[in-house]
């Protein structure tokens, strides 16, 4: 990390603490009003979205990003149980189970034992559950919430786990893992037998009947990249899933992933990254629009890790005698790696309990806060 970036991080941390402390002192009653609406959680994961990726929305977007609407900010330390640099499987399993595990692990601990996930636990307590992703819905991040396999590569097994898990709404790519399988099984049939309306066209398709569950599997594997023409799938799916889940009498837990911020980072393509971040920000806005109106929904935005060592650096040139010049008014997005990096990632929080997400902590704390807040708010 260069010195300027380090200073930026230190400043951000200081501002974070100041912002959190000031808010608590000014209004100690914040979020303490009696709530009548059911308590929900919307958990948005920008895969690979470090602070620079998030910042790109402020330089390349046309309006103030929805990220600015969060009153509380923290930083999450992302290392996995096996490596200083995590992958998405271990990163999401930390959120879903509270366990640091090895890179590649899906919903299992260091010894490959299955660990109950937050969404499984909430489903047992009659919460409705939804997953939205711009990757295959069987990809590492969503899979870590409903599947328990030793490797993220076992996508056929992961698809089977999804069919037999307690989930009410899914939207993303990956239908090949359900219907074009090496074992010739047809898991669309199984989904329909379980009460799902299954559609492969659009997340806006209306079911013929009042099906209890909805599954939108819209591409053979990952969805199209935003900069190559993906439509408003992510924000449409966000609105659709919230409407559908909120119509039920139970509270809901909804995980929404902007999967391809990570893929842009791996490709070292700043256009790919930035378009995915801006698209993710629209989904964040849709979630906040609902939460602010409903009044008792916690919205958390974070990342599993940073990807690409992405930085918006100053444009460099050469002055007299081959001295290097830098134009601080011209940004040049650069990458330091084609892989992930170890940097901390932002956590943005809004809604009941949001102030607890301030500070610097391990990614597993997000799981423990979800548990703490749902027990506090559950009607058991
Ligand atoms: Mg992912
Ligand atoms: Zn990645």
């Amino acid at each position: 990390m260069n010195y300027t970036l380090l200073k930026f991080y230190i400043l951000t941390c200081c501002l974070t603490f100041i912002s959190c402390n000031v808010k608590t002192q000014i209004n100690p009653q914040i979020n303490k009003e009696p709530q009548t609406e059911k308590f929900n959680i919307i958990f948005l994961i920008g895969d690979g979205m470090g602070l620079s990726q998030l910042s790109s929305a402020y330089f390349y977007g046309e309006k103030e990003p929805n990220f600015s609407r969060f009153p509380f900010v923290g930083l999450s330390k992302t290392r996995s149980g096996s490596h200083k640099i995590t992958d998405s499987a271990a990163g999401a399993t930390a959120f879903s189970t509270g366990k640091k595990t090895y890179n590649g692990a899906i919903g299992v601990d260091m010894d490959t034992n299955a660990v109950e996930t937050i969404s499984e636990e909430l489903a047992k307590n009659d919460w409705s559950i939804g997953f939205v992703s711009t990757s295959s819905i069987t990809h590492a991040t969503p899979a870590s919430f409903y599947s328990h396999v030793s490797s993220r590569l076992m996508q056929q097994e992961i698809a089977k786990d999804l069919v037999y898990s307690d989930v009410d709404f899914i939207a993303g790519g990956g239908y090949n893992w359900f219907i074009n399988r090496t074992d010739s099984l047809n898991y669309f049939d199984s989904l329909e037998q379980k009460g799902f309306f299954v559609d492969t066209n659009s997340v806006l398709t209306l079911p013929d009947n009042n099906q209890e569950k909805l599954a939108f599997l819209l591409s053979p594997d990952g969805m199209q990249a935003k900069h190559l023409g993906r439509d408003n799938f992510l924000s449409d799916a966000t609105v659709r899933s919230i409407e559908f889940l909120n119509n039920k009498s139970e509270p809901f837990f909804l995980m929404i992933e902007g999967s391809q911020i990570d893929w842009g980072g791996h490709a070292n393509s700043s256009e790919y990254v930035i378009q995915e971040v801006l698209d993710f920000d629209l989904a964040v806005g849709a979630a906040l629009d609902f939460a602010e109106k409903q009044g008792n929904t916690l919205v958390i935005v974070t990342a599993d890790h940073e990807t690409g060592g992405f930085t918006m650096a100053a444009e460099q040139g050469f002055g007299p005698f081959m001295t290097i010049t830098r134009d601080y008014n011209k940004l040049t997005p650069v990458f330091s790696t084609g892989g992930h990096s170890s940097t901390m990632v932002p956590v943005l929080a809004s809604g009941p309990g949001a102030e607890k997400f301030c500070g610097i902590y391990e990614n597993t704390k997000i799981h423990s806060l979800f548990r703490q807040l749902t027990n506090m708010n559950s009607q058991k």
Side-chain angles (χ1 to χ4, degrees), residues 100-119:
K100 292 271 188 185
T101 187
Y102 60 91
N103 287 4
I106 301 288
V108 297
D109 65 14
M110 291 291 285
D111 301 316
T112 69
N113 300 308
V115 185
E116 187 173 50
T117 68
I118 182 76
S119 40

Side-chain angles (χ1 to χ4, degrees), residues 136-186:
S136 166
I137 202 70
T138 57
H139 211 259
T141 310
S144 298
F145 287 83
Y146 61 77
S147 179
H148 305 277
V149 290
S150 59
S151 166
R152 59 184 291 166
L153 301 178
M154 300 162 71
Q155 292 205 66
Q156 294 203 147
E157 288 82 351
I158 291 170
K160 180 184 176 189
D161 279 357
L162 179 55
V163 170
Y164 294 103
S165 70
D166 199 349
V167 56
D168 305 277
F169 183 101
I170 53 177
Y175 59 68
N176 269 353
W177 303 106
F178 296 81
I179 51 173
N180 293 320
R181 300 167 55 90
T182 54
D183 58 13
S184 302
L185 292 172
N186 183 330

Side-chain angles (χ1 to χ4, degrees), residues 5 28 31 40 62 72 81 105 107 147 169 181 211 238-239 247 264 294 301 351 353 360 375:
L5 194 55
N31 296 324
N40 310 300
E62 282 168 9
F72 299 102
S147 179
F169 183 101
R181 300 167 55 90
Q211 267 99 340
T238 300
V239 171
N247 247 333
Q294 190 258 3
V301 174
I360 298 179
N375 288 337

Side-chain angles (χ1 to χ4, degrees), residues 47 88 133 135 139-142 152 257-259 262-263 304:
D47 195 317
S88 294
S133 167
S135 62
H139 211 259
T141 310
R152 59 184 291 166
E257 186 199 17
S259 319
D262 174 68
W263 299 359
D304 45 0

Side-chain angles (χ1 to χ4, degrees), residues 138-329:
T138 57
H139 211 259
T141 310
S144 298
F145 287 83
Y146 61 77
S147 179
H148 305 277
V149 290
S150 59
S151 166
R152 59 184 291 166
L153 301 178
M154 300 162 71
Q155 292 205 66
Q156 294 203 147
E157 288 82 351
I158 291 170
K160 180 184 176 189
D161 279 357
L162 179 55
V163 170
Y164 294 103
S165 70
D166 199 349
V167 56
D168 305 277
F169 183 101
I170 53 177
Y175 59 68
N176 269 353
W177 303 106
F178 296 81
I179 51 173
N180 293 320
R181 300 167 55 90
T182 54
D183 58 13
S184 302
L185 292 172
N186 183 330
Y187 277 118
F188 274 12
D189 290 347
S190 314
L191 282 169
E192 282 167 0
Q193 280 160 19
K194 286 201 68 192
F196 274 94
F197 169 77
V198 182
D199 183 73
T200 56
N201 291 314
S202 163
V203 75
L204 303 176
T205 307
L206 294 173
D208 326 320
N209 303 308
N210 280 337
Q211 267 99 340
E212 279 175 33
K213 299 163 184 237
L214 301 180
F216 299 98
L217 293 163
L218 305 178
S219 60
D221 197 9
M223 307 269 303
Q224 195 172 36
K226 185 67 186 172
H227 72 297
L228 297 179
R230 189 176 70 238
D231 62 9
N232 294 326
F233 162 76
L234 190 56
S235 40
D236 286 349
T238 300
V239 171
R240 187 80 202 272
S241 57
I242 290 172
E243 269 174 15
F244 180 75
L245 296 169
N246 191 49
N247 247 333
K248 297 177 178 291
S249 51
E250 309 85 33
F252 67 82
F253 176 90
L254 173 61
M255 193 289 300
I256 297 166
E257 186 199 17
S259 319
Q260 298 194 32
I261 300 167
D262 174 68
W263 299 359
H266 284 296
N268 279 193
S269 164
S270 56
E271 191 193 359
Y272 196 163
V273 169
I274 292 163
Q275 291 307 315
E276 292 294 340
V277 170
L278 292 172
D279 189 50
F280 182 63
D281 182 64
L282 294 180
V284 168
L288 284 174
D289 289 345
F290 165 78
E292 287 166 3
K293 213 160 66 184
Q294 190 258 3
N296 199 20
T297 296
L298 175 68
V299 182
I300 300 295
V301 174
T302 191
D304 45 0
H305 54 74
E306 194 275 345
T307 305
F310 179 62
T311 308
M312 287 170 290
E315 191 175 286
Q316 252 178 219
F318 290 101
F321 308 109
M322 294 303 280
T323 50
I324 292 175
T325 59
R326 294 187 182 90
D327 186 339
Y328 279 8
N329 262 325

